[in-house]
Amino acid sequence: MSDVVKIGIAGLGTIGSGVIKSLLRNKSELEKKFKFQFEILGISASSKDKERSFDVDQFTWFDKPIDLAKDSNIDLVIELIGGDSGVAYDLAFESIKNKKGFITANKALISSHGKELSKLSESSNSFIGYEAAVAGGIPVIKTLRSGVILDKIDGVYGILNGTSNFILSRMSEANKSFEDSLLEAQNLGYAEADPSFDINGLDAAHKLSIINSLCFAEFPSLESISIKGIENILTLDHKYAQEFGYNIKLIASSSKKGGNLRKEVAPTLVKIESSLGTVSNVSNVVCITTEYNGTLVLEGEGAGEGPTSSSVLSDVVDYSMNTRNYLFNKKSSDLSDPIINKDLIERCYYLRVFLADQKGAMSNLTAILGKNGISIDQVIQRGGVHLKDEKNFTPVIMLTHPVDSDSIDSAFSELIKTDLISMDPIFLPVLKDNL
Ligand code: HSE
């Protein structure tokens, strides 16, 4: 590799344009600080004519992104297209096969094809950087790839999706509806092109699967993660959760207990004053519990142009310094296929149902819960509150005593078959002893 790094960039949306502006803005400072120079040798996106925040004509335009990977003058390809198949997939594999460095913010790609990518990067001895794929501007990949490399990690938990955290914060702090909060997040450039991944927990699960591979030597997979999104949370859930002393956050966690690894993404009640409970708007937080270092807490902006571009640039610097890590901290032959563990941990749950306002309804509800081994700790039911179109149903909110998830699933299945309730009930776990 010469001292001049020749870069090709594919994908010129919010992040791609941000990376180009940031590279240009910081060029002389980076070149002074690190022993390399760089040049953007080519750019590519689906349309050249679209209005952009930088002058496209100052760079060589490639109609097809894949040609960046085939150009013998380009050393390093930066993929900011997104998606785990199609153009992004082809570009990744062609770049690595051609022994180019490859940098991406694409968590779906790294998560879905981690096994093939780690094998291929070993055989071609290529650099793959994906700091921007997890938690925006927070250097969590670097921390897990080199910072805590000698420590023993017991678990990782946190908030890994900025858009859903923004939506939940707007609902709880500004009393906004889910739909208005989502629109606001999209206008600010936080959401994915298809925001359903932000909302249904898949984006956080992609990121968790990557973190999990780095911590626990498994290939990434979504199948081994229990995934629930925020789509069924109502503004009133925030109010009731706060009455119990909690905020609702989309928590991703991977924790080891007695040889079991429990991996979950779920809207979860966290203490209002805790470090997770106070993380607002687009911020992410990652808590790493270690044997020798206690708990490390990394917090910062998890989405958007500035933070994500900054992580891409940190990978450009790593590439220029000739850093070579195994993709997930270990040789691919030392990684295992993910194990699906049964969740045996008992936790308290928040339950919200819209209960029929009729004689015996409450006793029938508690009978179903009791039959499934669920014991109630606290209850809220207020007169005069009901669903817009169904005036005969009023919200009943409960906090349970600790119970296992099988009991919760079985009570859920029984409840949805009755005419006691309108809308599916929600059961949200309560995070115990969080920082
Ligand atoms: N849509 C993602 C988020 C972007 O909101 O976290 C960063 O991965």
Side-chain angles (χ1 to χ4, degrees):
M1 193 174 76
S2 75
D3 283 349
V4 182
V5 177
K6 293 170 188 145
I7 302 173
I9 300 178
L12 301 173
T14 307
I15 308 304
S17 302
V19 166
I20 291 183
K21 287 185 287 178
S22 191
L23 273 169
L24 297 180
R25 200 171 49 240
N26 295 294
K27 184 172 168 63
S28 65
E29 199 173 324
L30 285 174
E31 290 182 347
K32 262 188 241 155
K33 199 161 169 187
F34 303 100
K35 289 186 194 151
F36 77 105
Q37 294 177 305
F38 63 83
E39 210 181 312
I40 300 176
L41 224 71
I43 59 172
S44 183
S46 50
S47 153
K48 188 178 177 191
D49 303 327
K50 211 166 150 184
E51 201 176 314
R52 294 206 158 82
S53 53
F54 68 97
D55 176 16
V56 170
D57 292 329
Q58 63 190 304
F59 305 111
T60 304
W61 181 267
F62 284 62
D63 283 332
K64 292 189 196 143
I66 196 81
D67 290 338
L68 296 168
K70 292 178 178 162
D71 190 309
S72 58
N73 292 314
I74 289 177
D75 306 312
L76 175 64
V77 172
I78 304 180
E79 180 273 311
L80 300 163
I81 298 167
D84 65 357
S85 56
V87 184
Y89 177 94
D90 294 341
L91 185 62
F93 282 80
E94 188 67 24
S95 302
I96 300 161
K97 267 187 225 151
N98 293 337
K99 300 193 184 299
K100 297 189 188 304
F102 180 73
I103 292 174
T104 184
N106 188 336
K107 49 260 161 172
L109 180 81
I110 299 289
S111 172
S112 308
H113 303 289
K115 196 170 188 170
E116 300 153 82
L117 284 170
S118 61
K119 288 183 178 168
L120 185 62
S121 67
E122 281 163 32
S123 60
S124 56
N125 194 26
S126 298
F127 172 93
I128 301 182
Y130 57 94
E131 184 62 71
V134 180
I138 305 175
V140 61
I141 302 301
K142 219 166 254 190
T143 303
L144 294 172
R145 268 178 138 182
S146 48
V148 292
I149 200 72
L150 289 179
D151 208 338
K152 193 171 146 289
I153 292 169
D154 300 320
V156 179
Y157 60 95
I159 295 169
L160 298 180
N161 181 269
T163 302
S164 59
N165 200 48
F166 183 87
I167 293 172
L168 293 174
S169 301
R170 298 298 285 155
M171 287 170 81
S172 76
E173 290 163 19
N175 208 22
K176 283 209 159 197
S177 70
F178 181 93
E179 292 73 20
D180 288 350
S181 309
L182 169 60
L183 202 63
E184 220 184 315
Q186 285 176 300
N187 291 338
L188 289 166
Y190 301 148
E192 297 301 303
D194 172 1
S196 58
F197 277 26
D198 292 304
I199 290 156
N200 64 19
L202 275 181
D203 179 80
H206 280 134
K207 295 168 180 167
L208 180 69
S209 72
I210 295 171
I211 288 182
N212 188 64
S213 299
L214 289 162
C215 296
F216 301 116
E218 290 186 346
F219 287 114
S221 89
L222 292 189
E223 291 68 41
S224 64
I225 301 176
S226 156
I227 307 168
K228 291 202 176 87
I230 63 164
E231 56 273 61
N232 297 323
I233 308 292
L234 300 175
T235 308
L236 64 79
D237 289 314
H238 292 281
K239 283 197 210 127
Y240 289 116
Q242 281 168 357
E243 287 194 33
F244 288 131
Y246 295 94
N247 277 332
I248 301 172
K249 298 286 177 188
L250 186 69
I251 300 297
S253 61
S254 181
S255 56
K256 238 184 185 164
K257 276 232 161 73
N260 272 346
L261 201 50
R262 187 171 58 83
K263 292 161 266 181
E264 178 186 75
V265 172
T268 302
L269 267 67
V270 297
K271 285 270 180 221
I272 290 175
E273 68 283 1
S274 66
S275 63
L276 293 177
T278 49
V279 174
S280 271
N281 295 325
V282 76
S283 290
N284 282 188
V285 62
V286 186
C287 307
I288 308 165
T289 52
T290 72
E291 190 171 321
Y292 309 125
N293 259 321
T295 300
L296 305 174
V297 180
L298 305 172
E299 185 182 337
E301 297 213 357
E305 181 183 316
T308 314
S309 306
S310 147
S311 284
V312 170
L313 256 61
S314 82
D315 278 342
V316 172
V317 169
D318 273 358
Y319 171 79
S320 73
M321 306 307 250
N322 210 15
T323 307
R324 292 288 182 274
N325 292 100
Y326 289 118
L327 195 63
F328 301 119
N329 276 345
K330 289 208 162 110
K331 257 187 176 165
S332 54
S333 55
D334 292 335
L335 298 174
S336 69
D337 283 320
I339 302 155
I340 300 168
N341 282 309
K342 209 166 161 46
D343 180 8
L344 301 169
I345 294 168
E346 294 201 339
R347 295 182 285 182
C348 300
Y349 283 82
Y350 166 100
L351 161 65
R352 182 256 295 149
V353 294
F354 283 98
L355 186 66
D357 202 357
Q358 68 194 30
K359 257 189 240 161
M362 182 64 97
S363 73
N364 289 337
L365 169 66
T366 53
I368 292 176
L369 298 177
K371 201 172 92 186
N372 285 286
I374 299 170
S375 159
I376 299 153
D377 180 27
Q378 298 182 57
V379 185
I380 302 175
Q381 183 185 20
R382 301 254 155 75
V385 188
H386 27 69
L387 274 175
K388 227 188 273 164
D389 308 320
E390 296 182 80
K391 303 253 180 291
N392 292 332
F393 292 87
T394 56
V396 173
I397 322 296
M398 296 176 174
L399 268 194
T400 74
H401 283 296
V403 60
D404 61 75
S405 63
D406 281 355
S407 304
I408 295 292
D409 292 345
S410 142
F412 179 92
S413 308
E414 201 166 326
L415 279 171
I416 56 172
K417 284 186 213 135
T418 68
D419 51 13
L420 268 182
I421 57 168
S422 168
M423 275 171 78
D424 285 356
I426 62 163
F427 285 96
L428 311 178
V430 177
L431 194 68
K432 199 172 155 249
D433 300 333
N434 56 301
L435 298 164

